[in-house]
């Protein structure tokens, strides 16, 4: 199982470290040819505008759209924004997932937070609540078409969504020691 | 909803999100938009870039809150702002404005020549400058959630940035090979908190993200710092004191992403127009250097 991590900007090194720890092969993806032979791709946290601009500049938009037709892609935070169809402002998006997101929906950095989530899909084997870290996080305002809700805050706001092999999370599993989300993604990529 | 804000994890976490990116000094909303459009991962809002602070002299203080707010309104990327070393009231003011990061910076005139701000007391994260491992770990001990090597700001001469990055990263490589019983004496000698030194040994890197700053003026400079092993770069005067800021800013962003690809570095280095004029540090009197500020 070989998983690529989009390495244009952001915390791609944290995803790579976590993937290696659970036994996956990894590759950094900066150019379209780096997608060859991958079973899945993670788009890390970072600044979605920076990641989008670098993807446009190096011909990755079409390559990633094509990759996502058959392979698994998981976007965390900025990556979730980049995967979405609609971010309610002008910036380059892949438009692969039928979700609408709102950037910086919780406020500025002083409003960044940690919270325990109840995520049935992850808690079958280990019932411990999932402790999530939200940093200038986006909110998934709505899931449409075949996309479905995977996790919500206790007030009902959506923070994770799934559409076939495509996964979006507003928070950062790569910043924790809990590898349940990365194992979940490896199953999607199989 | 059971949530907690202002934890060290979310403060250090934002710096993680900035990695592999370029943080650019801007003095107004128009420059901030140019920086965002060029692909900056954050901007530093200030009244004067370091090259102008050097040229004009006088006391350099926190910027006008009105200016900082205007910059915050103009872009969607994180906005940082500087306070003077030890000036915790400037920091309180910046926190109340809602800036995303505070740089307790030697570029401004220090307000305290012995003590830095106790940064754990704040919900907003801080970045601090360092020239060596002891200084970096003292700042982390006070609560800094991000470190930047200092370089010599406002010169366009990368030599001090290289010196400081090599010093910090070299010391980290050295302590990997020390027997455990020698680490206490090492911590004492460099003035580092022992527990943080141990953590650095275990991680093989600083416990927080480490950017380079101070004198980076070209895409090649930025890629050099990345290849030396830093996580990202600050570019201060180097962009908006050059002939074609938008083009140079975009080229430096690309150079940081593709820092190991010499053919891309060659491509983005073409036709950038005039770089900032620059000051040769080897011919600069000691009294004009600012990297020594910080204790």
């Amino acid at each position: 199982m070989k998983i690529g991590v989009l390495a244009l900007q952001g915390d791609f090194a944290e995803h790579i470290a976590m993937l290696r720890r659970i036994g996956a092969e990894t590759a950094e993806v900066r150019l379209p040819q780096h997608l060859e032979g991958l079973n899945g791709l993670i788009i890390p946290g970072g600044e979605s505008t920076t990641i989008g601009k670098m993807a446009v500049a190096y011909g990755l938009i079409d390559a990633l759209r094509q990759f996502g037709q058959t392979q698994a892609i998981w976007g965390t935070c900025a990556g979730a924004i980049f995967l979405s169809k609609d971010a309610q402002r002008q910036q380059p998006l892949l438009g692969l997932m039928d979700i609408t997101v709102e950037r910086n929906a919780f406020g500025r950095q002083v409003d960044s937070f940690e919270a325990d989530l109840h995520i049935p899909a992850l808690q079958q084997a280990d019932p411990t609540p999932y402790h999530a870290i939200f940093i200038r996080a986006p909110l998934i305002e709505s899931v449409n078409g075949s996309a479905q809700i995977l996790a919500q805050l206790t007030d009902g706001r959506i923070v994770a969504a799934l559409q076939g092999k495509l996964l979006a999370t507003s928070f950062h599993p790569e910043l924790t020691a809990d590898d349940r989300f990365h194992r979940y993604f490896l199953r999607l990529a199989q | 909803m059971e949530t907690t804000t202002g934890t060290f994890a979310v403060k250090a976490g934002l710096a993680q999100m900035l990695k592999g990116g370029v943080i650019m000094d801007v003095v107004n909303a128009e420059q901030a938009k140019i920086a965002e459009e060029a692909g900056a991962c954050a901007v530093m809002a200030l009244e004067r870039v370091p090259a102008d602070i050097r040229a004009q002299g006088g006391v350099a203080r926190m910027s006008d809150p009105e200016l900082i707010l205007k910059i915050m309104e103009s872009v969607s990327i994180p906005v940082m702002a500087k306070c003077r070393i030890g000036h915790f009231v400037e920091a309180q003011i910046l926190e109340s404005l809602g800036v995303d990061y505070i740089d307790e910076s030697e570029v401004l005139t220090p307000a305290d020549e012995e003590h830095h701000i106790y940064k754990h007391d704040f919900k907003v994260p801080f970045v601090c400058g360092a020239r060596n491992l002891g200084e970096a770990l003292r700042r982390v001990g006070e609560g800094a959630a991000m470190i930047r090597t200092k370089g010599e700001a406002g010169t366009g001469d990368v030599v001090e940035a290289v010196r400081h990055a090599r010093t910090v990263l070299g010391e980290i490589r050295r302590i990997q090979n020390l027997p455990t019983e020698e680490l206490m004496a090492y911590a004492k000698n460099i003035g580092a908190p022992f527990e943080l030194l141990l953590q650095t040994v275990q991680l093989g890197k600083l416990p927080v993200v480490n950017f380079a700053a101070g004198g980076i003026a070209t895409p090649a400079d930025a890629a050099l710092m990345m290849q030396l092993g830093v996580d990202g770069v600050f570019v201060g005067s180097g962009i908006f004191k050059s002939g074609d800021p938008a083009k140079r800013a975009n080229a430096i962003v690309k150079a940081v992403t593709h820092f190991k690809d010499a053919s891309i570095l060659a491509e983005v280095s073409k036709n950038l127009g005039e770089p900032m004029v620059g000051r040769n540090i080897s011919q600069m009197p000691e009294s004009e250097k600012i990297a020594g500020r910080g204790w």
Side-chain angles (χ1 to χ4, degrees):
Chain A
M1 175 74 66
K2 191 169 183 185
I3 305 293
V5 182
L6 194 64
L8 298 174
Q9 190 270 325
D11 70 338
F12 51 87
E14 279 58 39
H15 276 295
I16 288 171
M18 179 80 92
L19 287 167
R20 286 192 180 153
R21 205 150 60 232
I22 61 173
E25 261 191 276
T26 60
E28 294 182 2
V29 175
R30 290 185 173 84
L31 295 169
Q33 58 264 36
H34 300 160
L35 288 168
E36 245 168 70
L38 298 179
N39 303 96
L41 178 82
I42 296 178
I43 305 173
E47 275 308 309
S48 62
T49 51
T50 305
I51 292 171
K53 279 169 207 303
M54 289 299 103
V56 169
Y58 290 94
L60 272 158
I61 298 280
D62 284 340
L64 289 171
R65 281 181 184 151
Q66 207 175 348
F67 185 85
Q69 296 304 317
T70 54
Q71 307 296 80
I73 304 184
W74 173 19
T76 56
C77 194
I81 297 166
F82 193 42
L83 271 177
S84 74
K85 270 212 172 104
D86 184 1
Q88 305 178 77
R89 64 192 298 283
Q90 274 299 0
Q91 68 179 78
L93 299 175
L94 292 178
L96 283 167
M97 278 188 84
D98 207 350
I99 55 176
T100 299
V101 300
E102 183 191 351
R103 286 185 62 194
N104 303 332
F106 299 90
R108 301 196 71 94
Q109 171 59 18
V110 289
D111 306 302
S112 291
F113 64 98
E114 301 183 45
D116 281 338
L117 301 177
H118 177 63
I119 308 175
L122 290 194
Q123 287 168 286
Q124 284 155 2
D126 177 356
T128 321
Y130 189 83
H131 188 74
I133 299 179
F134 294 81
I135 295 169
R136 286 172 46 95
L139 189 66
I140 300 171
E141 241 180 37
S142 63
V143 297
N144 316 300
S146 60
Q148 45 181 337
I149 297 169
L150 196 66
Q152 287 164 288
L153 297 171
T154 48
D155 61 10
R157 286 185 287 180
I158 307 164
V159 292
L162 180 69
Q163 178 186 322
K165 289 180 163 190
L166 305 173
L167 173 63
T169 59
S170 309
F171 48 90
H172 295 282
E174 75 279 12
L175 291 184
T176 70
D178 189 339
D179 58 23
R180 282 179 289 175
F181 245 111
H182 286 78
R183 291 183 187 280
Y184 179 80
F185 180 66
L186 290 192
R187 290 196 294 276
L188 278 185
Q190 254 162 16
Chain B
M1 185 172 55
E2 194 63 20
T3 66
T4 42
T5 57
T7 61
F8 196 73
V10 300
K11 293 201 266 186
L14 178 55
Q16 295 286 352
M17 300 313 137
L18 301 173
K19 287 195 302 187
V22 184
I23 300 168
M24 303 181 191
D25 278 2
V26 297
V27 300
N28 56 44
E30 189 192 5
Q31 287 187 356
K33 283 186 192 142
I34 292 171
E36 181 176 50
E37 190 53 39
C41 67
V43 291
M44 177 76 69
L46 70 182
E47 270 168 359
R48 295 181 287 172
V49 295
D52 288 336
I53 293 176
R54 278 185 185 284
Q56 293 161 13
V59 177
R61 309 178 179 90
M62 174 187 80
S63 298
D64 183 336
E66 182 66 24
L67 170 92
I68 296 168
L69 287 170
K70 278 195 181 134
I71 290 171
M72 286 164 61
E73 280 161 22
S74 70
V75 292
S76 66
I77 57 179
V79 176
M80 302 183 164
K82 289 181 194 289
C83 73
R84 286 178 266 178
I85 289 174
H87 205 315
F88 51 86
V89 174
E90 285 187 347
Q92 290 162 3
I93 291 169
L94 293 174
E95 181 175 55
S96 83
L97 296 179
V99 300
D100 297 296
Y101 242 93
I102 295 177
D103 183 2
E104 187 185 17
S105 178
E106 71 282 0
V107 168
L108 305 184
T109 311
D112 190 323
E113 295 196 329
E114 272 185 82
H115 308 290
H116 284 251
I117 296 169
Y118 186 68
K119 294 166 273 284
H120 284 298
D121 280 348
F122 289 78
K123 274 196 169 183
V124 63
F126 282 74
V127 55
C128 287
R131 289 160 299 166
N132 52 54
L133 184 59
E135 195 175 8
L137 293 180
R138 287 195 294 282
R139 297 296 85 81
V140 176
E142 294 154 358
M146 178 178 183
I147 292 294
R148 53 174 177 74
T149 47
K150 284 180 180 170
E152 192 61 40
T155 60
D157 186 345
V158 81
V159 67
E160 292 299 304
V162 169
R163 189 192 319 280
H164 298 156
R166 277 202 186 277
T167 302
V168 171
L169 298 166
E171 284 180 285
I172 293 171
R173 285 188 288 268
R174 196 168 318 127
I175 58 176
Q176 303 296 299
N177 297 315
L178 286 182
T180 314
E181 70 271 18
E182 292 185 14
L183 290 173
M184 181 59 87
Y186 195 90
K188 183 184 83 174
N189 288 338
I190 66 169
F194 179 60
E195 297 299 332
L196 289 175
L197 189 79
L198 283 186
Q199 210 181 325
T200 305
V201 171
Q202 276 157 13
L203 294 168
K205 59 181 183 181
L206 286 179
V208 298
V209 166
N210 177 29
F211 270 47
I216 296 160
T218 68
D221 288 349
L224 172 66
M225 300 315 298
M226 293 298 289
Q227 286 199 30
L228 285 174
V230 301
D231 296 319
V233 300
F234 283 86
V235 184
S237 320
I239 290 171
F240 288 99
K241 285 285 165 189
S242 74
D244 189 343
K247 194 168 180 190
R248 181 168 295 265
N250 186 251
I252 293 176
V253 171
K254 287 174 173 165
V256 168
T257 293
H258 297 285
F259 67 95
K260 287 181 285 195
D261 189 328
S263 64
I264 290 182
L265 295 175
E267 192 56 42
V268 302
S269 298
K270 287 178 186 164
N271 303 314
L272 291 182
E274 284 299 308
M276 71 177 282
V277 174
R279 295 268 319 261
N280 186 326
I281 294 172
S282 63
Q283 289 160 14
M284 181 183 279
E286 280 304 314
S287 60
E288 286 188 34
K289 295 182 184 172
I290 60 180
R293 297 167 173 176
W295 355 103

